[in-house]
Amino acid sequence: MKLPISWLAEYIDISDLSVEELADRITFAGIEIEGIETVGPCFDDIVVGLVKTCAPHPDSDHLNVCTVFDGTQDFQVVCGAPNCRAGMLSAFARIGAKIPENGMVLKKGKLRGVESFGMLCSARELNLSADHSGIMELDASLKPGTPLQDLYGSSETVFEVEVTWNRGDCLSILGIAREFAAILGRPLKMPEIDFPELSDVTAADKASVEIRNPVGCPVYTARVLPHVERLPSPEFMRKRLELCGMRSIDVVVDVSNYVMLECGQPLHTFDYRQVHDGKIIVRNANPGETIRTLDGKDRALDPSMLLITDPVTPLAIAGVMGGEGSEIEPDTTSVLLEAAAFDAPSIKATETTLALHTESAHRYERGVDPFLPDWASRRACHLLVQYANATVASGVVQDDHRDHTPREITLRFERAREVIGLNISNDRQIEILTSLCFETVSRDDAAAVLRVPTYRLDCTAECDLIEEIARMEGLDALPDNVPTSMVVKDANDAPVRAASFCRHALVGLGFSEILNYSFTAPAVLDAWSTVDADARVVLPNPVSADQSVLRDNLAPQVIEVLARNQSRGVDTACVFEMGRVFFRDAKSGLPSEEDRVCLALMGFAGRVGTDRMRKVEPEESLLWLKGALEALAERLHTPAMRLQSADYDAFEKGCAAEIIIAGRSAGRIGLVKSSLTRKHRIPSPVVVAELRRAPLIQNVFRVPKAKNVPTLPGTERDIALIAPEGVTHEEIVKTIRKAGPKELADIRLFDIFRGKAIGEGKVSLAYRLLYRSETHTLKDEDVNRDHEAVKATLRNKLKVEIRDS
């Protein structure tokens, strides 16, 4: 928010403080000044000067030595302007003045041996025009010594104020002035709100108000101005609006914007002629209803949006923007003035859905004092009477559904001292809160009950009062306490260290870590899977529609990261994320959470060199990820991890499996559906594994038993078999293990083949078996006998065909 210092000075005396002091005082009170900007030229120490004499320089053919009178004394000035002459008035910059054109600060100088105590300026040097042909020639009727800023205006200092979401009351000049009044201990000067009313015309005769949604609109006030004139706004109003980044139109429109910037209450002026029967209705939009807004666009509305209407047509989108049909026209002569309070979440939802951000909505979505509308309406009428020659019908028409019960909070003095860490006396605590307009209802030695000002919507609990005391005492005054730690007996940080070990293990396997927000959009999760969508945790008041639900899977956002990389020319990625997912517990219905690990591969992640030119097959990618998962499990000492065929929404049918750890389901792995990868414009196969972190890392710090290094040679035998597609690798390995002797040391699959030569629905698999004894060298006949027994068991148990070597 832009804050002109000259406007602030109208409500509080800050004449003795520099700009830097003002910025520091309010920043240390918790409201940050992001920037300080000077708008317009600075004419400090530049005045109207009378050239009393002008003689040629004794050592130059183009310079003159002048005597310049600044209204108080004479100065010797060396000037080279061709139009310089005795008797003229010009702009005279004294020693110490800053020249607007280049920022140079004038010092006493010497030109060709003659001292000069100032400078006669051209229009370009003062940033008043491009003219540099000579010094400025001012009106002869001016008085020497007149400050140039009286003629051309002075520069303005504007603060750029960062207002946090919870301090909507500070989105106004008066809001910041209230803060300064408390910080400096000075009185606040409130602007005038009185105005004459017509005795023979009442607002109730001219208008009526009906609120059909009191939750969305607690109060709506309307005043009628039977006569207004479309005059130019006064200079001060135009200048202040421009300094705050708003365009001046005319006084009727400008007053509503001016009052909004001044006190934070958005107003709206309707052409009274366009309001049928003078009746205002506040209601929700009907299904399919539309309105053309002031920006000339047709807006499709839905029933969640609040409208201001008359009995016939919609007039405005409540709190966001007016409609085109009822705006102030050049021939408008009568006005209906709206001042209302609207529900902040409703305005935010409407603004976000329509992608329509306005100054009005910006304030309503952060919360506007529900008891401010009438004051703001009176202030606007005061200004319109003064500058638009307006007449005002007596009284006000309103529909009021506000809760008038005062909000009261108990403050425990000792609790405040404990939290803040400063010994702030009871009286000082009350003094601070009183300066912030909190009213003491009751008090004893231990605590006080305070009534909260209606505009402080952010203060709802004792901790808020303590925060107010701390920031007003000065955030720079808070003690720098060194954090202390306490050794807790039997404390166990193993889970944290195990998670860190898992992260390093994945990096060691070639994966890059990514991070995503826990908030996301429902559409992102729905694209992945709609199973258990009812169990998602939905935020009641999201900041954005794109962050309205907590994720219940890591994979959807991981896929989005891969897609973003693909769109930027990265066709190969090997990533992982360790994060938390959220869901509602099936039994209790309460929000629950779980730590998970998600791995994903895209492109040529498993290949090197020239092999990257060959097309990647889906099965190949799936095997890469399976291998990475097995390698990770080996490094983490994960107990008995295996895969079991299964089908899931987001994976291609027949290309997914459930991850089983220690006999229990821990996650899933699979090939992402082509429809999903096409949607994200990823041309290569994408494979993903997501599993719970706890079972994966439960044995990280288990110390494995050491085994003796084999000292005797082993012997290898191969088995080639043809099996139906339904027979899995796991079943084959289990059967071999069961049938093999104790000397069977290793089983490795080294070849897979499918083709017409072996028949449809069959697969050829080749395994290499290693036999080794720890006590003696095996004889060929013993190995051959055991190997034939393994083959026979495979034929009988799994009905596979053993191929001759």
Side-chain angles (χ1 to χ4, degrees):
M1 184 190 80
K2 293 186 181 296
L3 174 70
I5 297 303
S6 62
W7 198 354
L8 176 70
E10 187 172 309
Y11 309 123
I12 184 169
D13 180 15
I14 51 174
S15 57
D16 59 330
L17 296 171
S18 68
V19 170
E20 290 73 18
E21 286 176 310
L22 283 172
D24 286 346
R25 294 293 291 272
I26 199 164
T27 296
F28 283 117
I31 296 176
E32 183 181 357
I33 303 299
E34 282 197 321
I36 302 174
E37 180 184 7
T38 301
V39 180
C42 177
F43 295 133
D44 291 346
D45 285 321
I46 304 177
V47 299
V48 175
L50 170 64
V51 182
K52 297 175 72 172
T53 65
C54 181
H57 192 288
D59 195 25
S60 172
D61 58 356
H62 69 281
L63 296 176
N64 295 309
V65 180
C66 307
T67 303
V68 180
F69 177 59
D70 74 342
T72 304
Q73 58 180 313
D74 293 337
F75 293 90
Q76 178 176 285
V77 177
V78 178
C79 178
N83 65 332
C84 185
R85 64 186 184 278
M88 72 179 294
L89 293 175
S90 186
F92 174 54
R94 294 182 288 214
I95 300 299
K98 181 183 287 187
I99 304 302
E101 181 187 28
N102 54 22
M104 178 185 70
V105 178
L106 280 185
K107 299 179 181 178
K108 183 179 74 172
K110 186 180 286 188
L111 284 80
R112 301 282 182 94
V114 177
E115 290 186 318
S116 182
F117 297 88
M119 175 180 174
L120 293 168
C121 304
S122 70
R124 191 176 79 182
E125 287 164 335
L126 298 180
N127 283 341
L128 294 173
S129 77
D131 184 12
H132 195 55
S133 59
I135 58 175
M136 293 181 67
E137 294 194 41
L138 302 177
D139 193 306
S141 64
L142 294 174
K143 182 181 178 181
T146 302
L148 208 66
Q149 64 190 23
D150 290 353
L151 306 179
Y152 297 100
S154 60
S155 62
E156 281 277 2
T157 301
V158 180
F159 282 166
E160 184 68 38
V161 185
E162 172 65 25
V163 179
T164 54
W165 270 86
N166 64 322
R167 290 304 304 273
D169 61 297
C170 287
L171 280 172
S172 65
I173 310 299
L174 275 171
I176 300 296
R178 269 196 305 257
E179 292 292 307
F180 272 115
I183 295 166
L184 303 175
R186 298 176 184 179
L188 183 68
K189 306 169 191 174
M190 293 298 289
E192 296 180 11
I193 60 170
D194 61 303
F195 56 90
E197 295 180 311
L198 297 172
S199 59
D200 57 339
V201 182
T202 67
D205 294 334
K206 292 283 189 178
S208 61
V209 174
E210 178 188 354
I211 296 175
R212 295 180 182 174
N213 181 353
V215 174
C217 178
V219 64
Y220 190 103
T221 71
R223 278 190 165 85
V224 178
L225 289 74
H227 174 77
V228 294
E229 296 178 17
R230 300 293 301 278
L231 301 173
S233 295
E235 177 62 28
F236 80 91
M237 188 176 293
R238 289 201 301 270
K239 185 175 181 181
R240 287 174 176 179
L241 289 174
E242 289 166 3
L243 289 172
C244 290
M246 301 190 80
R247 182 171 59 93
S248 174
I249 298 172
D250 66 44
V251 68
V252 176
V253 177
D254 289 355
V255 161
S256 63
N257 289 329
Y258 185 86
V259 173
M260 177 184 69
L261 294 173
E262 183 179 51
C263 71
Q265 170 67 55
L267 302 173
H268 193 74
T269 49
F270 296 105
D271 187 331
Y272 180 77
R273 299 170 303 175
Q274 304 301 324
V275 182
H276 290 83
D277 302 329
K279 183 175 178 62
I280 294 292
I281 301 171
V282 185
R283 63 169 173 82
N284 288 78
N286 297 318
E289 192 167 10
T290 63
I291 184 174
R292 175 165 291 185
T293 46
L294 289 174
D295 56 3
K297 296 181 180 179
D298 291 320
R299 308 281 180 177
L301 309 174
D302 65 56
S304 69
M305 299 176 185
L306 202 62
L307 281 182
I308 309 301
T309 74
D310 61 22
V312 179
T313 59
L315 303 176
I317 302 172
V320 180
M321 185 177 282
E324 195 176 71
S326 59
E327 78 273 22
I328 302 299
E329 298 284 359
D331 62 343
T332 296
T333 57
S334 57
V335 166
L336 187 147
L337 178 64
E338 167 200 290
F342 297 113
D343 179 52
S346 172
I347 299 300
K348 175 60 182 173
T350 300
E351 176 195 31
T352 302
T353 302
L354 297 179
L356 185 59
H357 185 77
T358 63
E359 289 289 340
S360 173
H362 184 69
R363 284 159 176 78
Y364 275 126
E365 71 186 10
R366 284 160 172 76
V368 173
D369 179 4
F371 291 88
L372 183 58
D374 185 65
W375 187 95
S377 178
R378 290 176 180 274
R379 174 62 174 158
C381 287
H382 171 87
L383 294 171
L384 289 170
V385 168
Q386 188 173 0
Y387 299 110
N389 297 325
T391 60
V392 185
S394 63
V396 62
V397 178
Q398 72 175 11
D399 194 359
D400 188 358
H401 300 270
R402 292 171 294 189
D403 180 4
H404 290 262
T405 305
R407 198 166 359 120
E408 297 178 353
I409 302 174
T410 300
L411 171 70
R412 295 167 293 171
F413 300 124
E414 189 59 37
R415 177 60 179 164
R417 285 188 281 271
E418 288 175 359
V419 173
I420 297 171
L422 292 174
N423 187 23
I424 306 173
S425 68
N426 299 358
D427 289 341
R428 176 57 181 157
Q429 293 183 36
I430 294 296
E431 179 187 347
I432 289 173
L433 294 172
T434 302
S435 72
L436 290 167
C437 301
F438 289 84
E439 180 185 345
T440 303
V441 177
S442 62
R443 176 186 171 183
D444 56 29
D445 292 339
V449 177
L450 294 115
R451 183 166 296 156
V452 182
T454 57
Y455 57 82
R456 288 307 301 270
L457 304 179
D458 60 310
C459 290
T460 58
E462 182 185 41
C463 58
D464 299 315
L465 298 182
I466 294 173
E467 181 183 359
E468 293 300 295
I469 296 168
R471 72 181 186 86
M472 295 306 295
E473 191 69 8
L475 299 177
D476 55 333
L478 298 183
D480 297 327
N481 292 328
V482 178
T484 58
S485 60
M486 182 168 43
V487 176
V488 180
K489 186 180 180 181
D490 300 327
N492 182 15
D493 67 346
V496 176
R497 292 187 293 113
S500 177
F501 189 90
C502 178
R503 179 177 286 107
H504 287 293
L506 283 165
V507 171
L509 289 169
F511 287 79
S512 298
E513 185 174 14
I514 61 173
L515 296 172
N516 285 294
Y517 288 116
S518 297
F519 307 113
T520 187
V524 173
L525 300 178
D526 288 343
W528 182 253
S529 174
T530 56
V531 175
D532 297 328
D534 293 341
R536 292 175 188 161
V537 179
V538 180
L539 301 182
N541 297 307
V543 173
S544 160
D546 292 334
Q547 295 181 329
S548 61
V549 64
L550 290 169
R551 62 184 178 184
D552 57 0
N553 282 289
L554 300 180
Q557 291 174 303
V558 172
I559 298 296
E560 286 197 323
V561 171
L562 295 180
R564 203 171 300 121
N565 278 270
Q566 179 71 48
S567 69
R568 286 158 176 75
V570 179
D571 61 356
T572 298
C574 185
V575 300
F576 78 94
E577 179 172 8
M578 294 177 65
R580 192 162 291 178
V581 300
F582 305 85
F583 48 86
R584 291 195 177 278
D585 185 83
K587 292 182 180 179
S588 66
L590 297 175
S592 187
E593 56 189 49
E594 182 177 81
D595 291 314
R596 291 188 185 176
V597 180
C598 184
L599 290 68
L601 300 181
M602 173 182 76
F604 304 94
R607 293 191 187 156
V608 294
T610 55
D611 198 30
R612 285 173 173 259
M613 301 301 293
R614 181 168 51 85
K615 180 183 176 183
V616 178
E617 297 297 331
E619 186 180 73
E620 184 181 11
S621 293
L622 198 52
L623 288 174
W624 288 341
L625 186 60
K626 175 179 174 289
L629 191 60
E630 289 174 342
L632 176 66
E634 185 177 353
R635 294 188 184 191
L636 301 179
H637 309 304
T638 304
M641 191 183 81
R642 63 183 180 85
L643 304 182
Q644 181 174 300
S645 180
D647 285 325
Y648 298 103
D649 275 4
F651 296 134
E652 293 286 0
K653 196 170 181 64
C655 296
E658 186 176 10
I659 302 170
I660 309 294
I661 296 178
R664 300 182 65 181
S665 176
R668 59 198 63 174
I669 181 173
L671 173 68
V672 177
K673 278 186 175 178
S674 57
S675 59
L676 196 55
T677 55
R678 281 197 302 270
K679 176 184 174 182
H680 287 291
R681 299 183 180 180
I682 304 176
S684 63
V686 175
V687 289
V688 171
E690 182 173 339
L691 64 161
R692 291 185 291 115
R693 194 175 73 187
L696 183 69
I697 63 175
Q698 61 182 306
N699 285 346
V700 166
F701 302 113
R702 178 180 61 83
V703 179
K705 282 187 177 181
K707 292 184 178 180
N708 292 328
V709 177
T711 57
L712 299 172
T715 182
E716 292 179 337
R717 297 288 188 274
D718 292 345
I719 298 178
L721 55 88
I722 298 174
E725 286 283 5
V727 177
T728 66
H729 167 72
E730 184 181 18
E731 290 175 313
I732 294 172
V733 171
K734 278 185 176 180
T735 304
I736 293 174
R737 286 278 183 206
K738 193 171 182 179
K742 63 180 181 179
E743 289 83 10
L744 180 58
D746 188 34
I747 306 169
R748 276 180 291 165
L749 174 68
F750 68 88
D751 184 57
I752 302 174
F753 174 76
R754 290 181 178 87
K756 293 181 180 179
I758 62 173
E760 195 73 26
K762 294 184 178 181
V763 59
S764 174
L765 305 168
Y767 292 86
R768 179 154 295 163
L769 279 60
L770 173 65
Y771 297 92
R772 178 189 287 120
S773 171
E774 296 179 2
T775 59
H776 63 280
T777 302
L778 297 175
K779 296 180 180 179
D780 278 347
E781 53 267 28
D782 295 333
V783 173
N784 291 338
R785 182 184 66 250
D786 293 335
H787 194 62
E788 288 301 322
V790 169
K791 288 181 180 181
T793 303
L794 287 170
R795 287 193 196 95
N796 297 330
K797 294 287 186 182
L798 301 181
K799 308 302 180 186
V800 300
E801 177 185 345
I802 303 297
R803 301 174 63 187
D804 293 332
S805 303

